[in-house]
Amino acid sequence: MTFTEPEIEYLAGQPLGRLATVSAAGDVQNNPVGFAYNADTQTIDIGGYSMGSTRKYRNVQATGQASLVVDDLVSRDPWQVRGIEVRGRAEALTGQTPSRSGQSGEIIRIHPRRILSWGIEPDGNGMQARNVPAPG
């Protein structure tokens, strides 16, 4: 399993993340995005209303890399944050069934290579990081 059950539950409860991509020229871009955990492929799928025309989509086409951060502030006093970062190989796919009404058939799919999480695992203290083995 790529993600732990607490990570999957956390991702399912969060509406927005921040997607970082890099262009072929090395320019970094970071955008707020909606996303979904895809249990069939054990990936993160990112859609949009005109995804195929966006810079982030073109960046993924050019470099095949992306990182998504999803986090929130649980409490200010005491200070308590939680979140997850998913780094990996990314695909710019076409012809996909939109997950929401009005979205286009293009998505960015992240295949996790490294997952960092904090404040999500019930018994975990601090940052937890692991590499995800390549499939098959």
Side-chain angles (χ1 to χ4, degrees):
M1 172 182 276
T2 302
F3 293 95
T4 66
E5 285 303 318
E7 289 170 343
I8 292 169
E9 289 175 24
Y10 178 74
L11 290 169
Q14 299 299 314
L16 290 174
R18 289 174 297 284
L19 178 70
T21 61
V22 179
S23 74
D27 297 321
V28 178
Q29 183 186 30
N30 195 310
N31 294 103
V33 294
F35 66 92
Y37 167 67
N38 185 325
D40 293 335
T41 58
Q42 295 189 36
T43 58
I44 300 293
D45 291 351
I46 300 162
Y49 296 99
S50 58
M51 179 60 79
S53 67
T54 64
R55 179 172 294 189
K56 59 186 162 275
Y57 189 83
R58 291 189 305 274
N59 287 349
V60 168
Q61 284 178 313
T63 66
Q65 299 293 312
S67 177
L68 179 75
V69 171
V70 179
D71 63 346
D72 67 332
L73 181 60
V74 178
S75 170
R76 288 180 183 249
D77 188 18
W79 188 259
Q80 184 181 359
V81 294
R82 61 185 177 172
I84 186 167
E85 179 182 354
V86 180
R87 301 175 188 170
R89 180 177 64 84
E91 296 179 279
L93 300 174
T94 61
Q96 304 297 302
T97 302
S99 61
R100 293 187 179 99
S101 176
Q103 289 188 341
S104 65
E106 299 86 22
I107 65 167
I108 293 172
R109 176 169 286 162
I110 302 176
H111 298 266
R113 288 187 179 150
R114 185 148 177 86
I115 298 173
L116 298 93
S117 66
W118 54 97
I120 294 175
E121 299 293 333
D123 58 348
N125 292 324
M127 176 83 63
Q128 298 184 0
R130 68 184 181 285
N131 292 325
V132 177

